[in-house]
């Protein structure tokens, strides 16, 4: 009997990516919530190299790194495709997922929580990166075409987490006039019932973000 | 229809080497086009507008970028001699370690030749730690792929020709810390696709010297060779313009020595030159 466990954190976009993948394939799994400030020995045993969530454990065998887990899910279970079948389109999907992780998320996150010149620099870097994504989504409902695929799942931070954070910190980066395609995609994405089930509650996330601001401005 | 395969690459790039090895493993005929990274051509910029980097594989006019993504593409298009295992869990593990190499080995290695002082020391420690983890993962297997050279082997082996540069600038020996990994590397070098794809370690070192100049990093000029114990030649490295010994690296290759003599003669005069134990 197949046994599937997943170590995650409710607020982590990386963790939610994996849950989306599992749900897309209709896989039954046991979810284990990790306190990231006090990681369990079980998690540290399953991911000794990076010591992070998410980790998927299938029949006792652990897999780490969200994009690698998603590819594993796609290969191990039948069901709707996470990656396309054509090798060139697969390469393209992998390229954009990696681009999101390496070039979009870090400066976007940094832009939220920095000030002054550091914020301006991060904002510029993020703007450049988002421009490429804006061109890529042009004319399509999702990055995966008519249905959600690897890149859409990878872009969950952009479509949801970032929009909440942006509003709270007053950033104005992913604006309608500069990124009409991306904003339209984000709207469709978050409206999608399947995606909605795999997003953390907005108010809970907002509380976390407000907490970060408070901690930053608190006297040392 | 005949396949048209073009590779935009640069001789010294470990990422390019990965693709060269993959294409050779599959026996794919392709056109290699060396790129000048200090003055990038329009074709490269057109084929990789986002990162503007090599390697780029162009298959029947369609570009694919990012070395590991290119290698997976090659593995999927040309199905002979598979590079990745067929089992999904083992594939996930292979991807995990290749990703680890990109994140930990590459980054630390770069900082070894780029940084100095404490930052360089930290980079060295991280680099060695990453290699030791990989050595543990290798275990008793001949290759990371098991009995056969595979995806992880291909991802890591190009860094081997950069070890000499890292060791020279960082003043350490990888063999001392990871002997089994060096054994693995020497085993891989015997494979034809690897030996014909890797750059010459000496040329890599020279290339890094050029990079260091370009980035304004002080270049340590070799002052000479002093005879040391056990027949191991030791090179006295002196910072250009200074009278102090910056560091000592050991060499045990006569060819390397003759290259260093040329280096001393060609570069501008140093304050201290020590050759064969004699100060000039």
């Amino acid at each position: 009997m197949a046994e599937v466990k997943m170590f995650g954190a409710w607020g982590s976009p990386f963790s939610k990516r994996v849950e989306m993948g599992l749900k897309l394939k209709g896989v039954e799994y046991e979810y284990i919530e990790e306190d990231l400030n006090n990681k369990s020995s079980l998690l540290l045993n399953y991911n000794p190299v990076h010591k992070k969530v998410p980790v998927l454990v299938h029949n006792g065998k652990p897999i780490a790194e969200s994009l690698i887990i998603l590819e594993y899910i796609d290969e191990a279970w039948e069901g709707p495709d996470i990656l396309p079948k054509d090798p060139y389109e697969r390469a393209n999907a992998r390229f954009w997922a990696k681009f999101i992780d390496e070039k979009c998320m870090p400066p976007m996150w940094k832009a939220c929580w920095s000030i002054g010149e550091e914020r301006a620099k991060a904002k510029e870097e993020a703007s450049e990166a988002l421009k490429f994504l804006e061109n890529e989504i042009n004319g399509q409902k999702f990055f995966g075409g008519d249905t959600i695929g690897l890149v859409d799942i990878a872009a969950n931070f952009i479509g949801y987490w970032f929009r909440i954070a942006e509003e709270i910190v007053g950033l104005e980066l992913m604006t309608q006039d500069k990124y009409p395609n991306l904003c339209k995609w984000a709207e469709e994405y978050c409206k999608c019932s399947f995606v909605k089930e795999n997003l953390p509650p907005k108010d809970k996330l907002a509380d976390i973000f407000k907490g970060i601001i408070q901690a930053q401005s608190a006297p040392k | 229809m005949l396949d048209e395969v073009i590779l935009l690459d640069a001789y010294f790039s470990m990422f390019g080497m990965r693709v060269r090895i993959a294409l050779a493993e599959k026996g794919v005929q392709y056109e290699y086009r060396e790129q000048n990274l200090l003055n990038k051509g329009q074709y490269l910029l057109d084929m990789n507008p986002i990162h503007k980097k090599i390697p780029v594989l162009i298959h029947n006019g369609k570009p694919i970028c990012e070395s590991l993504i290119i290698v997976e593409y090659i593995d999927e298009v040309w199905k002979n001699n598979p590079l990745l295992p067929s089992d999904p869990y083992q594939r996930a593990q292979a991807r995990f370690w290749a990703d680890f190499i990109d994140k930990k080995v590459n980054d630390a290695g770069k900082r070894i030749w780029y940084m100095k002082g404490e930052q360089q020391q930290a980079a060295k420690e991280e680099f060695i730690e990453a290699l030791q983890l990989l050595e543990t993962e290798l275990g008793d297997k001949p290759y990371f792929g098991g009995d056969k050279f595979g995806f992880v082997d291909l991802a890591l082996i190009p860094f081997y020709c950069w070890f000499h540069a890292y060791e020279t600038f960082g003043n350490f020996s990888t063999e001392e810390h990871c002997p089994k990994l060096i054994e693995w590397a020497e085993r891989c070098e015997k494979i034809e696709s690897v030996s014909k794809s890797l750059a010459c370690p000496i040329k890599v070192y020279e290339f890094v010297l050029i990079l260091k100049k370009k980035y304004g990093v002080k270049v340590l000029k070799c002052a000479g060779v002093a005879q040391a114990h056990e027949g191991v030649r030791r090179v006295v490295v002196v910072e250009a313009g200074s009278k102090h010994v910056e560091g000592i690296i050991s060499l045990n290759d006569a060819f390397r020595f003759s290259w260093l003599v040329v280096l001393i003669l060609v570069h501008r005069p140093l304050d201290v030159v020590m050759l064969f134990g004699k100060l000039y």
Side-chain angles (χ1 to χ4, degrees), chain B residues 209-280:
Chain B
L209 279 177
I210 295 170
L211 284 181
K212 279 167 83 81
K213 276 202 190 119
K214 175 174 153 68
Y215 290 112
V217 182
K218 264 197 201 150
V219 180
L220 294 180
K221 298 284 198 326
C222 168
V225 175
Q227 202 69 25
H229 341 284
E230 292 141 44
V232 174
R233 287 159 185 229
R234 298 177 80 78
V235 173
V236 177
V237 180
V238 175
E239 196 174 281
S242 119
K243 284 196 180 359
H244 303 290
V245 174
E246 188 73 25
I248 296 175
I249 52 173
S250 69
L251 295 174
N252 50 20
D253 188 330
F255 173 67
R256 293 178 196 177
F257 164 67
S258 59
W259 164 78
L260 285 161
V261 170
V262 169
L263 191 67
I264 295 160
L265 296 172
V266 160
H267 288 277
R268 60 182 196 273
L270 305 163
D271 286 359
V272 177
V273 177
M274 188 193 288
L275 271 169
F276 299 109
K278 271 164 65 174
L279 272 167
Y280 289 79

Side-chain angles (χ1 to χ4, degrees), chain B:
Chain B
M1 180 184 132
L2 208 65
D3 266 335
E4 188 202 51
V5 184
I6 299 169
L7 176 62
L8 305 183
D9 197 351
Y11 175 70
F12 298 107
S13 163
M14 357 18 187
F15 305 101
M17 286 173 218
R18 288 169 169 176
V19 180
R20 284 175 239 164
I21 295 170
L23 290 167
E25 283 285 301
K26 301 283 187 174
V28 176
Q29 298 292 320
Y30 67 100
E31 184 195 334
Y32 179 93
R33 290 191 196 169
E34 178 75 12
Q35 303 297 298
N36 179 355
L37 299 183
L38 302 175
N39 185 18
K40 291 175 183 174
Q42 195 55 48
Y43 189 54
L44 169 60
L45 299 176
D46 288 340
M47 289 292 108
N48 190 358
I50 289 153
H51 299 300
K52 305 175 175 51
K53 286 181 174 178
I54 53 94
V56 182
L57 188 78
I58 304 154
H59 186 201
N60 296 329
K62 299 203 278 197
I64 304 109
C65 308
E66 299 295 287
S67 65
L68 295 178
I69 293 175
I70 297 172
V71 173
E72 286 222 44
Y73 174 82
I74 290 169
D75 207 34
E76 289 172 12
V77 171
W78 290 277
K79 298 202 195 300
N80 61 311
N81 196 18
L83 296 165
L84 273 147
S86 52
D87 170 67
Y89 181 74
Q90 288 184 25
R91 289 162 76 82
Q93 292 311 299
R95 288 177 179 133
F96 176 87
W97 288 108
D99 176 65
F100 175 84
I101 291 161
D102 270 3
K103 288 189 171 119
K104 303 284 181 185
V105 175
N106 178 48
D107 184 63
K110 226 189 322 196
R111 283 183 283 125
I112 293 173
W113 67 258
Y114 190 84
M115 301 274 172
K116 285 183 81 171
E118 263 176 47
Q119 288 175 309
Q120 190 194 52
Q121 185 58 30
K124 267 161 63 177
E125 284 165 19
E126 280 174 50
F127 181 75
I128 290 165
E129 201 186 309
L131 289 188
Q132 284 174 332
L133 248 165
L134 284 162
E135 198 179 48
T136 307
E137 174 59 23
L138 178 67
D140 291 322
K141 306 194 294 290
Y143 303 102
F144 286 94
D147 289 323
K148 209 175 142 280
F149 181 86
F151 191 67
V152 182
D153 305 277
L154 178 154
L156 183 60
I157 192 62
F159 288 88
Y160 181 58
C161 66
W162 276 71
F163 280 10
H164 170 59
Y166 297 149
E167 289 168 346
T168 307
F169 288 114
N171 189 25
F172 70 103
S173 154
T174 38
E175 186 156 20
E176 199 182 298
H177 297 278
C178 319
K180 287 214 130 119
L181 202 68
I182 300 299
E183 271 174 35
W184 160 84
E186 289 168 355
R187 196 177 299 129
C188 289
E189 273 200 311
K190 296 199 176 91
I191 300 170
E192 198 191 330
S193 62
V194 174
S195 62
K196 72 177 190 182
S197 304
L198 258 49
C200 165
I202 307 297
K203 289 193 180 151
V204 170
Y205 176 76
E206 289 173 13
F207 172 67
V208 175
L209 279 177
I210 295 170
L211 284 181
K212 279 167 83 81
K213 276 202 190 119
K214 175 174 153 68
Y215 290 112
V217 182
K218 264 197 201 150
V219 180
L220 294 180
K221 298 284 198 326
C222 168
V225 175
Q227 202 69 25
H229 341 284
E230 292 141 44
V232 174
R233 287 159 185 229
R234 298 177 80 78
V235 173
V236 177
V237 180
V238 175
E239 196 174 281
S242 119
K243 284 196 180 359
H244 303 290
V245 174
E246 188 73 25
I248 296 175
I249 52 173
S250 69
L251 295 174
N252 50 20
D253 188 330
F255 173 67
R256 293 178 196 177
F257 164 67
S258 59
W259 164 78
L260 285 161
V261 170
V262 169
L263 191 67
I264 295 160
L265 296 172
V266 160
H267 288 277
R268 60 182 196 273
L270 305 163
D271 286 359
V272 177
V273 177
M274 188 193 288
L275 271 169
F276 299 109
K278 271 164 65 174
L279 272 167
Y280 289 79

